[in-house]
């Protein structure tokens, strides 16, 4: 599971990877926030290599190797910038982000605007593949992350949310059908939801079964009426019961 935390500082997207509960900051994001050019040269020439790590990170273009720096190197990058943004960024990191990470092990901010857009696109893709309504896909997402709306998903859960939407648009794997027999396959909303071997079971059309059940009931009532008429012999039933044909007493009987 990824320990990546993503959030925004003003108009810049900042990613932090937690390693042993210690934050590593994406150098490219920090450089963008502080308007620093050539961050690659910065990493190779001015930062402590012990605090620089290459980490494969999920991006819009797939997994890419990005450079992350530790807290000490973050100070070096901030102090290198003389722009006003550096002071604002420094105060924000030191007064909000780092204390929150030290206390909870994560920075509990919700999704960025870009991440919200990606969630919506993933929901639409899921609905198109599964032929489910958008509402149903959103409902399953809310239940998974225990939120009332997708905007409230925590930034640290973004990767898991995307994986959940990608995984849930796939049909369940079918069992091995390469064997003789009869199979019951249930399809709901164009998705196979159940497969079962029904060898040894009899199948009958539902309408035919209803007619058969009705006729069986009628035959049972017919036999019951015959049994009552037989009681005439023992004097337990009036002879007048025999005067009317049985089909007139029970017009629905099937004789």
């Amino acid at each position: 599971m990824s320990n990546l935390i993503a959030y925004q500082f003003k108009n810049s997207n900042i990613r932090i990877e937690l390693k042993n509960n210690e934050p590593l900051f994406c150098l490219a994001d920090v450089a963008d926030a502080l308007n620093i050019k050539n961050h690659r040269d910065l990493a190779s020439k001015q930062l402590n290599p012990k605090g620089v790590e290459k980490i494969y990170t999920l991006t819009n273009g797939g997994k890419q190797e990005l450079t992350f720096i530790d807290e000490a190197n973050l100070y070096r990058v901030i102090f290198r910038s003389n722009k006003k943004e550096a002071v604002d960024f420094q105060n924000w990191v030191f007064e909000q982000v780092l204390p929150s990470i030290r206390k909870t092990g994560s920075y509990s901010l919700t999704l960025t605007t870009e991440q919200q857009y990606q969630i919506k696109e993933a929901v639409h893709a899921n609905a198109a593949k599964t032929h489910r309504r958008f509402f149903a896909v959103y409902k399953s997402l809310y239940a998974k992350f225990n939120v009332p709306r997708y905007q409230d998903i925590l930034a640290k859960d973004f990767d898991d949310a995307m994986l959940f939407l990608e995984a849930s648009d796939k049909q369940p794997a079918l069992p091995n059908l390469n064997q003789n027999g009869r199979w019951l396959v249930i399809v709901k909303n164009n998705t196979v939801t159940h497969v079962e071997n029904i060898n040894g079971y009899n199948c009958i059309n539902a309408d035919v079964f209803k007619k058969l059940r009705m006729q069986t009931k009628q035959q049972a009532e017919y036999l019951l009426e015959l049994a009552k008429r037989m009681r005439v012999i023992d004097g337990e039933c009036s002879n007048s019961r025999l005067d009317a044909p049985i089909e007139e007493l029970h017009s629905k009987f099937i004789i």
Side-chain angles (χ1 to χ4, degrees):
M1 177 178 175
S2 174
N3 291 318
L4 186 71
I5 305 169
Y7 56 91
Q8 277 189 318
F9 170 73
K10 296 185 177 180
N11 294 323
S12 297
N13 188 47
I14 309 294
R15 286 163 288 188
I16 298 177
E17 180 78 20
L18 291 181
K19 185 174 182 179
N20 298 324
N21 287 331
E22 291 298 324
L24 296 174
F25 300 82
C26 179
L27 178 59
D29 296 345
V30 173
D32 180 67
L34 300 178
N35 197 23
I36 296 175
K37 309 297 183 182
N38 299 322
H39 66 272
R40 291 183 177 82
D41 291 341
L42 183 66
S44 61
K45 298 177 181 178
Q46 301 185 36
L47 301 181
N48 186 343
K50 292 183 178 180
V52 178
E53 291 198 30
K54 301 288 187 179
I55 300 176
Y56 280 97
T57 306
L58 184 63
T59 69
N60 292 340
K63 278 196 171 184
Q64 298 182 16
E65 188 180 59
L66 301 180
T67 301
F68 285 75
I69 58 176
D70 64 7
E71 190 175 336
N73 276 325
L74 177 68
Y75 300 155
R76 295 184 177 94
V77 175
I78 293 175
F79 295 154
R80 182 179 181 277
S81 175
N82 57 6
K83 296 184 178 296
K84 179 182 180 301
E85 290 84 353
V87 177
D88 295 338
F89 184 77
Q90 172 182 297
N91 292 339
W92 182 62
V93 170
F94 295 162
E95 295 174 7
Q96 298 184 45
V97 178
L98 291 180
S100 178
I101 292 176
R102 296 282 186 266
K103 183 177 180 180
T104 66
S106 65
Y107 189 76
S108 298
L109 281 183
T110 51
L111 303 176
T112 66
T113 302
E114 175 61 25
Q115 288 172 327
Q116 291 180 25
Y117 174 78
Q118 291 182 48
I119 289 289
K120 289 174 63 177
E121 289 295 299
V123 168
H124 289 186
N126 183 294
K129 290 182 179 179
T130 62
H131 302 282
R132 292 192 297 168
R133 295 183 179 180
F134 294 145
F135 173 78
V137 180
Y138 278 120
K139 186 176 180 180
S140 64
L141 183 66
Y142 301 159
K144 172 68 176 179
F145 294 95
N146 193 28
V147 293
R149 56 179 193 156
Y150 72 90
Q151 292 92 336
D152 294 323
I153 295 174
L154 297 180
K156 66 183 182 65
D157 293 329
F158 171 72
D159 288 350
D160 288 341
M162 294 295 291
L163 290 175
F164 172 76
L165 291 170
E166 292 170 3
S168 59
D169 68 13
K170 298 177 175 60
Q171 294 188 10
L174 294 176
N176 179 20
L177 301 182
N178 295 325
Q179 53 182 304
N180 295 331
R182 298 157 67 235
W183 295 86
L184 170 66
V185 180
I186 299 177
V187 179
K188 183 177 181 181
N189 294 329
N190 293 326
T191 299
V192 175
T193 60
H194 181 78
V195 178
E196 181 179 352
N197 188 301
I198 56 173
N199 281 341
Y201 291 87
N202 291 323
C203 295
I204 188 172
N205 182 279
D207 291 334
V208 172
F209 176 75
K210 290 179 181 179
K211 291 179 181 179
L212 179 60
R213 185 172 58 180
M214 181 186 67
Q215 292 176 7
T216 301
K217 181 180 178 182
Q218 292 173 350
Q219 292 292 340
E221 293 178 352
Y222 175 74
L223 293 175
L224 180 62
E225 176 62 23
L226 284 178
K228 290 179 180 179
R229 294 189 176 207
M230 289 295 293
R231 293 165 64 184
V232 172
I233 299 174
D234 298 324
E236 296 177 1
C237 181
S238 173
N239 292 341
S240 62
R241 192 178 188 92
L242 303 177
D243 294 338
I246 193 171
E247 59 269 19
E248 292 182 7
L249 291 176
H250 298 277
S251 59
K252 292 183 180 180
F253 283 164
I254 301 175
I255 307 299

